Amino acid sequence: MEEKIKIIKDLSIEEREEVFADIARVLEGTAREAFVEGNRHFAALSANMAQAIRVNADELARDEMANAERVLLQATAVISQFNAAHPYRMMSHAIH
């Protein structure tokens, strides 16, 4: 994922939008896992970031590349933080 951040300037607008959609999808997955584990604050942060990226993906892909890189770096930092705290993925996502 970090290699995509480095080459974001070389991608077309459609490819950049795909990268933002992928990042948003991963953030939504981490939000779901954090919610199931009881970490509601992190789940809310991750879900809100995913929603903001989805809503603004078109603008981020077309406008200033420095802003797009900054958003991608922040999103990958959130994902990395979650992966570091939860190195083993859940097999089931049941909420009782």
Side-chain angles (χ1 to χ4, degrees):
M1 196 166 299
E2 289 182 15
E3 60 273 353
K4 287 185 180 180
I5 294 171
K6 293 178 184 175
I7 62 167
I8 192 89
K9 294 176 186 174
D10 300 332
L11 299 176
S12 69
I13 292 172
E14 292 82 18
E15 291 170 331
R16 288 183 207 146
E17 287 181 16
E18 264 184 58
V19 169
F20 285 115
D22 291 342
I23 290 286
R25 194 170 318 128
V26 173
L27 283 168
E28 288 168 345
T30 57
R32 205 170 20 264
E33 285 188 40
F35 183 77
V36 169
E37 291 179 358
N39 191 348
R40 295 188 180 178
H41 294 292
F42 188 86
L45 171 80
S46 187
N48 289 338
M49 184 179 267
Q51 183 179 11
I53 289 172
R54 277 198 196 277
V55 169
N56 297 306
D58 185 48
E59 291 177 24
L60 288 168
R62 294 178 191 280
D63 292 343
E64 193 68 33
M65 283 300 103
N67 293 336
E69 288 178 1
R70 191 174 307 119
V71 168
L72 287 174
L73 287 173
Q74 289 174 352
T76 55
V78 168
I79 294 166
S80 296
Q81 180 183 6
F82 182 79
N83 289 338
H86 307 284
Y88 304 105
R89 294 307 223 206
M90 287 187 181
M91 299 307 283
S92 173
H93 297 274
I95 299 176
H96 299 279

